[in-house]
Amino acid sequence: MRPQDDAGALREAEARQQTAQREAEAREAAAAPPPGHAVELRPPSEPVAIPPAQASGGAPLPGAVAPRPAAPAAEPVPAAPAAEPVLIAPAAEPATAAPGGWFSRLKSGLARSTARLTEGVTTLFRKRRLDEAALEELEEMLITADLGVAASARIVEGFRRSRFGKEVTDEEVKAALAEEIAAILAPVAHEMEVDPRRAPHVVLVVGVNGTGKTTTIAKLGRIYRELGLTCGFVAGDTFRAAAVEQLQIWGERTGCQVHAPAKPGADAAGLAFDALRAAKEAGTQVLLVDTAGRLHNKAALMEELRKIIRVLKRQDETAPHSVLLVLDATTGQNALQQVKVFKEMVAVTGLAVTKLDGSAKGGVVVALAQEFGLPVHMVGVGETAQDLRPFTARDFARGLVGLD
Amino acid sequence: MFEALSSKLNGVFDRLRRRGALSESDVQEALREVRVALLEADVALPVVRDLVARVRERAVGQEVIRSVSPAQQVIKIVNDCLVEALGGGEGDDGKRGLDLAAAAPVPLLMVGLQGSGKTTTSGKIALRLKGRDKKKVLLASLDVQRPAAQLQLQQLAERAGVASLPIIPGQTPLEIAARAMDLGRRELYDVVILDTAGRLAIDEALMAEVAAVKAATNPHETLLVVDAMTGQDAVNTARAFQERVGVTGIVMTRVDGDARGGAALSMRAVTGAPIKLLGAGEKLDALEDFHPDRIAGRILGMGDIVSLVERAAETIDRDEAEKMAARMQKGQFNLEDYASQLKQIGKMGSLSGILGMLPGVGKMKAQLEDANLDTTILKRQAAIIGSMTPKERRTPDIIKASRKRRIAAGSGTTVQEVNRLLKQFDDMSAMMKRMSKLGQKGLMRGGLGALLPGSGGRRPF
């Protein structure tokens, strides 16, 4: 993440004053459902609480500013009435509401990454008969996008049944391909629901090393803060050098309280236990628990993760309320193994796919959807908080094949 | 990491083996399976195509179909192709590891995507250069992107016992690099490791930045650090870094995971740069050299079974093994037999090493490693038994408190350890008696569960 976020935060504070009216609207929306009945807070027609992407806060390096798609000067979000029974979806900005918003960012991210896939399809299907050879090439292109052999074969099989031998254009193929993929992804596109009434709603964040757990927590923290929730971090990565300090810096930047271990190498479960108690006393609404990255085939480390859960349950039988598995989009077919093991060991409730702004296509998500059906809550398409977005099947699929 | 691919290919070739003679379509099917297995192992498609084409060409050229054991021959061809694709075979100069043949301070530049393991690898390389090569190493983090990244490297440097460049907030990567090289020259460091921020291969600005750092420091080695779990994108990443920065070597991290690691093949093929090192664990000493022939052998799950059989034949006395088996069946197994068993196992080397040579033990191996399989336990137990009198070995029941104290003192262990051994031996002989009672049929029916007393305690193996 780049320091741009900080400017966003300032901007947010400033804009918050201007938007008292919106706040009222939001309150209304939140209050509408029958009390005691949880609903998702759908943002009003306005773009929500997202700090502008091109904040003036400064680029990481002089002369080395990564060009980012312009975002509209979005008005920050109303502080949501935290005490009321609502479920908050992170970053619930409607895709259509903001031109240059999240969708275009996802698109521009994916456009780069799928340039080759698209090119391939384009050259392949310009006025061409969909024959056996063409289907095979299509299958290979899907494989190149990390969909895996099995998922690619299934998708192509659908094509064979419905369109074999027909003259098709590349547009048709792309649209159909996107449809096919979207149909697979649609059932898993759920936002992560967080219930502040639980005070705290505990989110355990797990994953293998280097997928972006800490960064994702920082982004979530900022989003929840912008929604007006009180949010705490638990620096449960007591193993990696300076991981605690990394989260502490994020805590300062986002205004989330950080529960840090007394000394490096401390027991993460003990830390989580104390943090949950402190969060309960303080009435913190969301508690994001970071954990050390671990390879799923290390039984001892996975056991350690289970211990964290056991210990959390001692204080709150329902905790952790969400177990978020963070997956790196560059991961290939091993993602299937990762999800399988983490799901078995710690009952993962949903996925976050990070680094989708790179050249990796994250196609393994399609295979994951078919295999496990776990909800995909969010995707990371950039380094700032507003680049952590809800996962939407249609957009993802269309972005993947290079359609507008 | 290659075990999964091994089992796939084993599956293919098992079928081939059963058939004996191969038809043209058999070869075709085998190649298709090889292709799928490689793709599922995350080898990039262009590389797979190339590899399969080469295998086919050679298979046809050597008239596999009429050869005596066609499956073996196909396996050998695939093996050869894999070795070559990984940088071995003909033209392999046998050079491994880092090239430090340059004027000190030798700059090493670490590049890669976010979260690939650059910083940890930097620490590991520093520890290795300091320990094994007796170099004076300076670590410098140019990562001004991620919070606390420089602190992370500093802490790793402390753990490795090497120097790190003092952190000055607000400096650009170029400034830090210049400062590191300057300090390296003034204080006569042998090697300066420049750890950069993770960057996406398509991030023009950051790629330009790392190219500028490279131009300014002229590193002798530019190492691309890549996660073994990387999928098809390995090709794009490798190509981009090769074009923009120029890569002299590849470090694959997390090979201790269960990813199939096809990325190794892809990146080697795209960059032509050798895979120099493997990161195989979270500890700082978990850095290994890369050997194409060994890895290819593991992919196929073939190579090492030969050496296992060889080693077993060398070390195990056949007659004695048969004698012992007979005694076990009669339930006459005593501590002397146990001791000689321990000795034979010890002669064969580490247990996990032995198991690693078996094809298809991948998963079991991981479990055994987690169970803290430690050959020093075996040695200690042998020492304990060695401190017993022959009478005690034959009839362990006579060993009471004072004998235990003597045995413990004689073997340099504690009474607790002697107790543990006796308990274990007890369990073992109980199990053997049960085994002889059950007989072959009973064993089949009741399964192993019938043999285990209760839930079973911890055993050394």
Side-chain angles (χ1 to χ4, degrees):
Chain A
M1 280 214 189
R2 315 234 167 115
Q4 287 161 335
D5 300 355
D6 297 65
L10 288 175
R11 191 81 165 255
E12 173 210 342
E14 186 188 325
R16 189 164 283 171
Q17 299 171 338
Q18 305 169 355
T19 50
Q21 192 197 344
R22 277 209 190 87
E23 192 171 353
E25 280 172 21
R27 216 181 282 272
E28 224 169 66
H37 204 270
V39 284
E40 224 170 301
L41 172 64
R42 283 291 167 195
S45 49
E46 251 69 30
V48 204
I50 311 298
Q54 287 199 327
S56 51
L61 307 154
V65 191
R68 306 226 164 255
E75 250 69 345
V77 152
E84 283 170 46
V86 284
L87 287 176
I88 307 290
E93 180 190 357
T96 47
W102 93 268
F103 178 53
S104 73
R105 262 194 299 273
L106 174 64
K107 223 172 60 192
S108 68
L110 283 174
R112 283 175 296 192
S113 66
T114 55
R116 272 187 55 232
L117 176 62
T118 313
E119 249 168 56
V121 175
T122 310
T123 51
L124 182 57
F125 289 110
R126 189 153 284 154
K127 290 175 190 169
R128 181 171 171 183
R129 186 176 289 278
L130 200 58
D131 57 10
E132 205 56 52
L135 283 172
E136 189 165 321
E137 279 176 61
L138 188 60
E139 182 178 345
E140 291 193 339
M141 274 182 286
L142 293 175
I143 288 171
T144 317
D146 274 329
L147 267 77
V149 177
S152 304
R154 272 195 292 264
I155 292 170
V156 168
E157 200 44 49
F159 262 65
R160 177 174 286 124
R161 276 198 307 270
S162 57
R163 293 181 183 77
F164 188 77
K166 287 181 187 150
E167 291 278 342
V168 282
T169 67
D170 62 311
E171 276 297 314
E172 283 169 9
V173 169
K174 274 200 260 179
L177 196 59
E179 230 170 81
E180 203 94 22
I181 294 173
I184 296 167
L185 293 177
V188 298
H190 297 297
E191 290 172 14
M192 185 166 81
E193 292 173 353
V194 164
D195 186 353
R197 286 171 308 165
R198 289 192 173 119
H201 180 107
V202 181
V203 182
L204 185 68
V205 181
V206 300
V208 300
N209 317 62
T211 53
K213 286 178 294 300
T214 307
T215 306
T216 301
I217 285 179
K219 289 177 183 177
L220 280 175
R222 183 178 296 278
I223 288 166
Y224 292 138
R225 292 291 296 144
E226 278 166 4
L227 288 168
L229 300 174
T230 51
C231 180
F233 294 157
V234 182
D237 186 353
T238 55
F239 181 82
R240 206 201 68 200
V244 171
E245 287 84 347
Q246 187 185 347
L247 198 61
Q248 274 169 335
I249 293 172
W250 281 121
E252 281 164 30
R253 290 189 191 170
T254 55
C256 295
Q257 199 203 339
V258 179
H259 304 270
K263 57 176 178 14
D267 178 29
L271 173 70
F273 184 86
D274 292 342
L276 179 53
R277 183 164 49 200
K280 269 186 169 174
E281 279 165 15
T284 306
Q285 287 161 317
V286 186
L287 190 65
L288 301 168
V289 185
D290 194 10
T291 60
R294 64 202 70 223
L295 291 170
H296 49 281
N297 61 341
K298 308 252 162 157
L301 295 178
M302 294 304 287
E303 199 50 51
E304 196 183 281
L305 214 48
R306 286 164 69 110
K307 183 179 167 195
I308 295 179
I309 294 180
R310 275 202 307 277
V311 163
L312 286 173
K313 282 199 188 303
R314 237 178 268 163
Q315 283 197 42
D316 182 350
E317 194 43 50
T318 60
H321 308 98
S322 308
V323 180
L324 187 65
L325 175 65
V326 181
L327 272 183
D328 184 332
T330 51
T331 308
Q333 299 309 301
N334 191 244
L336 291 161
Q337 198 59 29
Q338 282 176 31
V339 172
K340 179 168 178 278
V341 176
F342 272 101
K343 189 174 172 235
E344 274 169 18
M345 295 294 286
V346 295
V348 171
T349 57
L351 308 175
V353 183
T354 60
K355 304 181 202 171
L356 263 175
D357 48 334
S359 52
K361 292 148 188 126
V364 74
V365 172
V366 179
L368 289 174
Q370 289 188 324
E371 184 97 355
F372 301 103
L374 272 179
V376 183
H377 291 319
M378 53 199 99
V379 292
V381 293
E383 307 211 3
T384 57
Q386 61 268 32
D387 294 323
L388 187 67
R389 290 293 156 191
F391 175 82
T392 49
R394 186 173 170 275
D395 296 337
F396 184 88
R398 289 178 74 83
L400 197 72
V401 299
L403 281 172
D404 294 335
Chain B
M1 65 169 164
F2 288 101
E3 270 97 3
L5 177 54
S6 306
S7 67
K8 286 262 173 199
L9 288 185
N10 269 339
V12 177
F13 291 124
D14 271 350
R15 261 181 291 150
L16 290 190
R17 238 183 248 129
R18 278 198 293 275
R19 291 211 202 143
L22 289 180
S23 69
E24 189 82 45
S25 66
D26 286 338
V27 174
Q28 209 63 358
E29 195 205 325
L31 288 175
R32 168 132 193 115
E33 291 290 337
V34 169
R35 177 179 171 275
V36 170
L38 290 172
L39 283 173
E40 283 184 353
D42 289 325
V43 182
L45 186 62
V47 182
V48 172
R49 265 197 219 125
D50 190 46
L51 204 65
V52 170
R54 250 186 294 166
V55 172
R56 175 178 290 135
E57 197 178 293
R58 282 195 218 174
V60 171
Q62 296 193 6
E63 297 190 7
V64 168
I65 297 156
R66 268 182 285 152
S67 76
V68 190
S69 70
Q72 291 301 321
Q73 206 158 342
V74 173
I75 290 170
K76 188 183 177 312
I77 293 166
V78 175
N79 181 56
D80 290 351
C81 288
L82 285 176
V83 171
E84 276 165 40
L86 287 164
E90 272 174 58
D92 180 19
D93 55 8
K95 265 196 234 162
R96 305 271 177 257
L98 301 173
D99 173 14
L100 297 175
V106 184
L108 298 184
L109 186 65
M110 312 291 293
V111 298
L113 302 178
Q114 288 97 335
S116 56
K118 289 173 298 301
T119 306
T120 305
T121 304
S122 301
K124 287 178 180 178
I125 291 176
L127 181 72
R128 164 183 279 221
L129 292 180
K130 177 200 163 221
R132 214 170 70 173
D133 304 309
K134 307 276 175 255
K135 300 283 187 195
K136 192 178 170 195
V137 183
L138 178 68
L139 280 170
S141 170
L142 315 189
D143 188 348
V144 296
Q145 306 282 342
R146 209 192 60 197
Q150 301 192 45
L151 190 62
Q152 184 190 353
L153 191 67
Q154 190 184 345
Q155 291 183 2
L156 284 172
E158 278 163 26
R159 278 188 215 169
V162 302
S164 65
L165 188 72
I167 298 169
I168 299 181
Q171 281 197 324
T172 67
L174 262 178
E175 286 166 353
I176 299 173
R179 191 156 58 87
M181 293 314 296
D182 185 49
L183 187 71
R185 272 186 289 271
R186 277 193 291 113
E187 299 192 0
L188 304 176
Y189 282 97
D190 298 313
V191 181
V192 177
I193 300 176
L194 303 169
D195 176 29
T196 63
R199 62 203 73 224
L200 295 168
I202 50 163
D203 190 328
E204 271 310 308
L206 285 179
M207 290 302 277
E209 174 206 294
V210 74
V213 168
K214 167 145 188 172
T217 55
N218 191 23
H220 193 62
E221 288 264 26
T222 304
L223 300 177
L224 176 63
V225 183
V226 191
D227 189 326
M229 296 180 289
T230 311
Q232 299 284 328
D233 188 52
V235 183
N236 303 332
T237 303
R239 192 178 289 128
F241 276 97
Q242 176 70 349
E243 280 168 9
R244 293 301 305 272
V245 192
V247 172
T248 62
I250 293 163
V251 182
M252 264 237 295
T253 60
R254 297 184 199 129
V255 293
D256 51 330
D258 62 359
R260 299 174 191 180
L265 284 164
S266 316
M267 285 182 304
R268 164 78 210 188
V270 169
T271 61
I275 298 159
K276 297 209 160 179
L277 296 164
L278 303 177
E282 298 192 347
K283 302 232 170 67
L284 274 182
D285 57 358
L287 190 68
E288 295 173 3
D289 286 331
F290 177 78
H291 296 281
D293 44 345
R294 288 191 205 168
I295 298 289
R298 264 173 80 189
I299 293 177
L300 283 168
M302 299 292 298
D304 272 356
I305 189 87
V306 179
S307 42
L308 174 64
V309 173
E310 275 170 9
R311 211 189 295 178
E314 268 169 32
T315 50
I316 290 179
D317 184 335
R318 201 196 171 99
D319 293 342
E320 194 167 332
E322 275 174 14
K323 234 190 281 171
M324 203 184 297
R327 292 172 66 82
M328 277 188 200
Q329 245 170 5
K330 284 186 213 151
Q332 291 172 342
F333 189 73
N334 65 24
L335 274 170
E336 244 163 80
D337 300 318
Y338 184 46
S340 81
Q341 244 187 348
L342 289 179
K343 215 178 287 168
Q344 292 202 341
I345 294 170
K347 268 195 274 181
M348 290 183 65
S350 83
L351 286 183
S352 45
I354 297 167
L355 289 167
M357 286 190 261
L358 293 169
V361 229
K363 275 208 178 125
M364 208 168 101
K365 189 184 163 196
Q367 281 167 6
L368 287 167
E369 264 169 20
D370 288 326
N372 273 331
L373 203 65
D374 191 356
T375 38
T376 58
I377 295 181
L378 301 183
K379 277 190 205 144
R380 291 193 145 214
Q381 294 201 334
I384 293 172
I385 297 173
S387 297
M388 294 176 185
T389 65
K391 196 177 169 198
E392 284 166 347
R393 287 178 210 163
R394 279 192 297 272
T395 46
D397 288 344
I398 62 170
I399 303 176
K400 301 285 184 250
S402 89
R403 283 181 195 260
K404 282 179 190 167
R405 274 199 299 278
R406 193 205 74 238
I407 293 166
S411 56
T413 56
T414 60
V415 174
Q416 284 81 9
E417 276 170 287
V418 177
N419 279 334
R420 213 174 295 145
L421 172 80
L422 291 172
K423 170 80 171 65
Q424 198 180 313
F425 178 75
D426 249 18
D427 289 351
M428 216 149 61
S429 15
M431 183 163 121
M432 278 172 199
K433 274 182 202 132
R434 230 171 298 175
M435 192 147 67
S436 49
K437 260 188 221 150
L438 277 172
Q440 203 64 21
K441 266 190 184 163
L443 188 59
M444 301 294 278
R445 212 180 311 122
L448 277 173
L451 291 174
L452 300 171
S455 59
R458 282 182 304 133
R459 297 208 172 68
F461 58 90

